[in-house]
Structures are given as C-alpha cells and as structure tokens.
Amino acid sequence: MTARVAIFDTTLRDGEQSPGCSMNPAEKLRLARQIEKLGVDVIEAGFPIASPAEAEAVRAVAEEVRGVRIAALARAKEQDILCAGRALKPAAHAVIHTFLATSDLHLKYKLKIGRDEALKQAVEGVRLARSLAPEVEFSAEDASRTDYAYLLEVLLAVHEAGARVLNVPDTVGYSLPAEYGAMVEKLVRDIPTAVISVHCHNDLGLAVANSVAAVMAGARQVECTVNGIGERAGNTSLEEIVMALKVRREALGAETNVRTELLAPSSAALSQVTGVWPQPNKAIVGRNAFAHEAGIHQHGILANPLTYEIMTPASVGVGETLLVLGKHSGKHAVQSRLKALGVNIANEKLDEVTKRVKELADRQKFVYDDDLLAFCDQEVERRAHLVRYQVISGMGVMPTATVEVELDDQRLTASAIGNGPLDAALKATDAALGISLELLDLHTRAVASGKDAVAEVTVRVRHGDQETVGMAASTDSIEASLKAYLSAIGAARRAQVVAA
Ligand code: KIV
Ligand code: ZN
C-alpha cells in the first residue's frame, strides 16, 4: 500500500529567511498562488510577529489562497500566538505552527530556562493556539539534538493539549539519515495518533536524504521549500523530495499530491521574484538537470531517453532536453538542436554542419544557435536576426533601448523603455516584431571567469501551449539575451506558432 505524505511548503517563511530572498506581501501572494496550484497540502505564509508587513502578507495569503491549509509561525509565547491567530483570521483552513526549542543546549544558552518550564510553556502555547485555530502544529526546535526521553515527554504533552502535527526539526542540519530515521521510527511507534512531521536543514547536504529516511520510518509530513532555499544552506528541496518519492515510489511506498509538471515553472516563479537562481547542476530544476553534452550520452538520449534520464523533463515541467553542442557532440545532437529550431537539412549537409560545429567548439568551447543557423544559411527560413541595438541606462536615467532586427528580408526598428536595460531591450524587440510572447525563463551563466567572461544565455518562451528555447553567447550579456530571444522566436516562427 502507498502512504500519502503531506507536503508542507515553507518557502514563504523559512525560505524567506535565506539571505537575499526576502519578499514583500505582493510577491508572497503571487508565489502562494503558484504554490497552491502545485498541489501542496500546507503553505506556511510567514511569521506574523516579525513585522507589520509580514503580518499583512500572512493575512493577504490567508484571504486569497483558499484551496490549501495556511500556516503561520509563532514562538510558544502569548503575543506571537495572538498575532498569528489575527493574521490567519480570514483563512479557509488555518494552522497555527508554534515552536519551542527542546535541546538542553538551546534551553540553557538561548532560552535560559529548565526542562520543566519549557514543557509548561509548550503546553500553554499549544492550548492558546488551539483556542484560536482549528489545527495546531508544534515544532520541537533542535529536536534531533534533544534527549529522546524528554522530547517524547514534551511531544506527548503538546499532543494531548491539541497539537495534531508534531514536527521534529533537524534545525542545524546535523543529523545523519540513519539517526534521523531511527528517531522518527520511535516517535511513530510511541505517539501513533499524531502525524509526525520532519523539517531538515541542509548544512551537511543531507536535508533530502534525512527527509527520505524519515518517510521510510513513517513520517507523514515533510516540510520543504521551492529550490531548497532557507536559513544558511537551506531546507529540504521540495522538488527533490517530491521527485524522489515519485521516481522511487515502489521502493519508498509513499506519494504526494504535487503536480510535478509545475515544479520547474514554480522554481522559475520563485527565482523571478527573488532574483536568486538555483545552481546549474541543482537536481530537477537546475538548468543543466536535463542537459547532455557528452556525445555518447546525447546519442543514447536520442535513441531512448531512459538510457540517461530517470524521469522525463516534461514530468517536471521542463520543455525539452537541452543538448549543449560542444566538441563531444555528434551528428544526432546537431540534428536534434536544428529540429528544435525548426530547421531540416539533408544528410550530406548535416555531416558538413557537424564538422563545422566540432571545429568551432574546439576554438570557443560551445556552439550556439546563431552559429548553427549560420552554418545552414541556405536552409534557414523565417529567421529573426539581431542587426544592432543600443541601450541607455544608468542611475537616475530611465532605461531605454532601440533594437533593429532583420526579419526575412525586412529591417524593423523600435524603441522602448523598461524596468532595466534588458527589459527595455526585450520590449523594443517585441515592438519591432509586433509580437508579445510569454517569457518563461531567461538564464545567464558566465562561461569563463574574469572581466572578459562570456555570458551564455538561455531563453525559454511560450506561445499558446508551445514552448521554444533559444541559446546564445557573447561578452555582452544584453546582446546574448537578445540573440537567444530571437533564436527562440525564430524557432516559433518556423513551427508556425507565432506570426511575426
Ligand atoms: O529549523 C527549525 O527548527 C525551524 C522551526 C521554527 C520549525 O524552522
Ligand atoms: Zn527551519
């Protein structure tokens, strides 16, 4: 039998505690809507006592996001719990999540109270919370470093006082999977009427492994964040734990309610709000998670994706497998990239283009759409090509861009203002072409380091229900972005899904 594991998303609370990831109420609301669509069970919207804006954000999420349980964090203190209760008032399904540290280390040095007093405070906190909300979760902060007998005593008492969900954080990311799993197994045995929840930090890179061990031991709620953001090294990554449970469902015997095809769009939505993108090799949502450069891998993938992929890109919402053309790439990869760009060429021409790709890759490492399309000049129709652009930007200046594009045999020019130089340049391109596409993702990475680093840009756009991807590189990141954008537009035109 497959057990159902609840996903408690804390992107807007613990995730937001990550440096550079703070969000205003409007941003939180936008993300909460996306996370609700993702199919999580609980959204922890914030820590209302932290600031008036934080309380307002929790209230706004509680008011607007009604198809999922909304939690708010509160220390086991009267003023925190009352504040959380007020912020959650409009919620359709409110959860007050109250916490208190239980390890001797935290009690002695941080809270400066003894075990008995902490037990009393935790129980009083849960009782008050229960009088204000239909559901209460209690977290024993630093549970993984708490003496088991005392942890059990506290958890039994708060469960009796009304906490349905008992969360046992590995607050400092210290646990090993076997230890953490063993603790959860004992708790599941000793408090069978409670839902045992886990919350892991990633200081040793073990947050997902610890969460998996906990699920195997009987935990029925996992707390996690989109892209794994959170305090210090972050929290359990939502996309990783969800896909581990899905891909290894038979081994783990557990499943979630998450619509996995919304994982990549949710990751991108978070990065767009925070400006922080996951590292390229991040599992599931990193830009290289489905990219293959080695020729042998590329050939295998094209013959049968199962050779090198344990899940399809589509299953996590990634549009297509990205084959990066480099010196290891063979004919199949070149043909596949050309096909994605909407270009079909004869076999003899393909041999010649592949040879030129390898020669160029020897000199400049990777080969991008512009070069590839140039190698097949005669065969490429409906191409959108950057002729020139100019951007005026600076402090106290409104960013303005003028872009000239060659479309088939026509030169088209337009200007636009934007939120920044890149935004202005993309808007000017849209105006020149007379189109407006949904930009799903624009990702820049430095291919080399130093002042003359080359920016490699990947752009993903959507038109109707079709997506296309363009890639380009330049020492000028705006030029690379425009070329990648035009490449994606060219592919869409050849696929006849956009009229420009
Ligand atoms: O890491 C932790 O212990 C927490 C609790 C407040 C749940 O974030
Ligand atoms: Zn935490």
Side-chain angles (χ1 to χ4, degrees), residues 13-14 73 97 99 139 141-142 167 169 171 199 201 223:
R13 198 280 297 169
D14 212 327
L73 186 70
H97 175 195
F99 73 100
S139 281
E141 192 188 9
D142 207 19
N167 186 41
T171 302
H199 174 117
H201 280 269
E223 304 199 349

Side-chain angles (χ1 to χ4, degrees), residues 311-339:
M311 57 200 138
T312 63
S315 70
V316 301
V318 169
E320 66 179 80
T321 300
L322 205 56
L323 302 180
V324 183
L325 298 181
K327 65 179 178 192
H328 304 296
S329 302
K331 194 165 140 180
H332 299 282
V334 172
Q335 189 177 35
S336 161
R337 181 72 199 127
L338 282 170
K339 204 164 149 220

Side-chain angles (χ1 to χ4, degrees), residues 222-244:
V222 174
E223 304 199 349
C224 49
T225 59
V226 175
N227 293 346
I229 63 169
E231 279 279 346
R232 308 180 308 279
N235 288 65
T236 298
S237 145
L238 183 148
E239 44 286 336
E240 291 177 27
I241 183 72
V242 164
M243 288 315 288

Side-chain angles (χ1 to χ4, degrees), residues 398-411:
M398 204 165 319
T400 312
T402 303
V403 173
E404 186 174 330
V405 177
E406 192 176 86
L407 189 77
D408 306 329
D409 288 329
Q410 245 190 316
R411 293 261 170 124

